[in-house]
Amino acid sequence: MKSMDTHSPMLILLLLVLSSFNVSHADPYSNPSPPLAPSSSPSPSPSASPPFAVAGKQFPPQSIICNDPISKCYGQNITCPKQCPSFKPADPTAKACTIDCNTPKCEAYCKNRTANCNGMGSACGDPRFVGGDGIVFYFHGKTNQYFSLVSDQNLQINARFIGRRPEGRKRDNTWIQALGLMFDHHTFTLAANKVAQWDDNVDQLQFTYNKEPVVISEGHLSSWAAPDSHLIVERSAKCNSISVTLAKVLEISVSVVPITKEDDRIHNYQIPADDCFAHLEVQFRFFDLSERVEGVLGQTYRPEFQNPVKRGVAMPIMGGEHKYKTSSLTSADCNYCIFSPHLSIMSVAKPLALELSNTMECTSKMSKGRGVICRR
């Protein structure tokens, strides 16, 4: 006891020093702490949270160094603009900083984390696509059937279509209800639940990985990472919106939306009372497509692709159901499917050889020169 009394002043001094050190280093940017509300207790040190999640603080824009020797911006440090300083903003409605190390100007830009239905690589509504060539087209498919959206040696993306045929119509109105990814020897699926009455605050997404259910906690920026691959799924809102990332291969922005009464009135879908046809709004961003890529959407990223849809009409239709129909969400058995993960490991896709002219603009946004996009 006597020994404890002798050292207690020294212990107290040490604790005070450590406490002062923690407080002084809680905010590395020396921003003043926000004032406390009356009768409120002090909040935990903000150092426990990532910078973008600290309320009332300001942090310098985030940046990244492009480290791929093949990229156009190799070695450059690209900083996010002030309008969107963070890659993952705390506000789910705020635009996020996006950096592409293959952009001509090596600049970051602001982008919504949800799907942009007018942006390249999107698929929304009855499904309306914007291809890799920038051309808008519709692909109706058929109700309760599966179609390949993208088929490459190292990647397969299928979609399940739901729909209904209103009285007096000659075709189904269809929507994408689920996506299935195949890569290496893994599978991942995400699907919208069937629901009668839509509630924005109720999550309607289901996931599986290698045929096993996956649970991703609700909440903005809540995430899940596959234990044996580079797949990461992160919520971009409290519920019903996610982003899927497969490193160096693709990113997908996905949201679940219903057919609203206004949609039903405008298009006369004749939606029944027991199903609001919850479906997916999707936008893809690819980084490693080959020049042989196939699929309803994938084919539009080929440099030699000549889009057959009629221009200037209200609904330009892309056919090809017989080419891209698959037997399930995670199968690559369509007539034009080329997914062969064992072959992609052993072979290297030949580089694209394109003759450039004054009437053709070619840019490569994919790593290793694969997936060059050309526009006249």
Side-chain angles (χ1 to χ4, degrees), residues 187-244:
T187 62
F188 174 76
T189 69
L190 61 96
N193 292 325
K194 180 179 178 179
V195 58
Q197 300 298 323
W198 182 259
D199 185 341
D200 286 332
N201 296 312
V202 177
D203 190 58
Q204 300 294 350
L205 278 167
Q206 290 187 351
F207 311 93
T208 72
Y209 181 68
N210 293 338
K211 299 182 179 181
E212 295 295 328
V214 170
V215 177
I216 303 176
S217 301
E218 291 186 26
H220 178 47
L221 300 182
S222 175
S223 64
W224 171 87
D228 53 355
S229 71
H230 297 295
L231 183 73
I232 297 175
V233 184
E234 183 177 77
R235 290 193 183 271
S236 49
K238 175 182 176 292
C239 57
N240 293 318
S241 288
I242 62 161
S243 64
V244 180

Side-chain angles (χ1 to χ4, degrees), residues 47-341:
S47 61
S49 301
F52 54 78
V54 181
K57 300 275 185 170
Q58 292 184 357
F59 294 87
Q62 295 178 298
S63 63
I64 193 170
I65 297 176
C66 296
N67 57 11
D68 186 348
I70 303 177
S71 70
K72 293 181 179 180
C73 309
Y74 175 62
Q76 295 198 33
N77 185 16
I78 302 178
T79 301
C80 297
K82 293 181 179 179
Q83 295 85 351
C84 55
S86 174
F87 296 119
K88 298 179 181 180
D91 181 359
T93 64
K95 290 187 176 182
C97 173
T98 303
I99 291 178
D100 184 345
C101 288
N102 276 294
T103 53
K105 294 184 179 180
C106 299
E107 294 177 348
Y109 60 93
C110 300
K111 180 180 180 297
N112 287 323
R113 299 198 74 201
T114 54
N116 174 10
C117 291
N118 293 313
M120 186 182 296
S122 61
C124 302
D126 179 11
R128 175 186 181 274
F129 291 82
V130 181
D133 53 5
I135 297 175
V136 174
F137 65 91
Y138 289 78
F139 178 84
H140 295 305
K142 292 185 179 180
T143 299
N144 297 325
Q145 292 189 4
Y146 308 91
F147 296 91
S148 170
L149 301 187
V150 177
S151 185
D152 212 349
Q153 281 192 345
N154 65 336
L155 178 68
Q156 178 83 19
I157 304 175
N158 295 342
R160 179 179 185 266
F161 286 52
I162 56 172
R164 61 176 280 104
R165 181 172 299 185
E167 286 186 34
R169 301 280 178 89
K170 294 182 178 180
R171 68 164 183 86
D172 295 347
N173 291 119
T174 55
W175 300 274
I176 295 176
Q177 178 264 340
L179 292 177
L181 276 67
M182 302 170 64
F183 59 97
D184 296 333
H185 298 286
H186 303 290
T187 62
F188 174 76
T189 69
L190 61 96
N193 292 325
K194 180 179 178 179
V195 58
Q197 300 298 323
W198 182 259
D199 185 341
D200 286 332
N201 296 312
V202 177
D203 190 58
Q204 300 294 350
L205 278 167
Q206 290 187 351
F207 311 93
T208 72
Y209 181 68
N210 293 338
K211 299 182 179 181
E212 295 295 328
V214 170
V215 177
I216 303 176
S217 301
E218 291 186 26
H220 178 47
L221 300 182
S222 175
S223 64
W224 171 87
D228 53 355
S229 71
H230 297 295
L231 183 73
I232 297 175
V233 184
E234 183 177 77
R235 290 193 183 271
S236 49
K238 175 182 176 292
C239 57
N240 293 318
S241 288
I242 62 161
S243 64
V244 180
T245 303
L246 187 57
K248 298 183 179 181
V249 179
L250 87 161
E251 292 177 359
I252 315 174
S253 299
V254 184
S255 294
V256 184
V257 295
I259 299 296
T260 65
K261 291 183 178 180
E262 182 65 10
D263 293 332
D264 192 20
R265 184 190 67 80
I266 294 173
H267 300 286
N268 192 26
Y269 291 134
Q270 301 175 25
I271 298 297
D274 62 346
D275 191 353
C276 68
F277 284 85
H279 60 281
L280 306 180
E281 291 185 340
V282 185
Q283 186 176 21
F284 300 94
R285 189 177 176 215
F286 302 104
F287 303 102
D288 195 27
L289 294 178
S290 78
E291 70 276 17
R292 296 178 55 233
V293 63
E294 274 290 356
V296 175
L297 177 64
Q299 62 182 335
T300 66
Y301 285 84
R302 293 203 308 265
E304 82 288 355
F305 181 71
Q306 298 294 320
N307 204 310
V309 302
K310 292 182 179 180
R311 311 289 181 87
V313 300
M315 186 173 285
I317 305 297
M318 178 79 75
E321 283 87 349
H322 66 286
K323 296 191 296 185
Y324 300 122
K325 182 181 176 182
T326 65
S327 60
S328 74
L329 202 56
T330 54
S331 62
D333 54 1
C334 73
N335 291 333
Y336 278 57
C337 288
I338 63 171
F339 178 66
S340 301

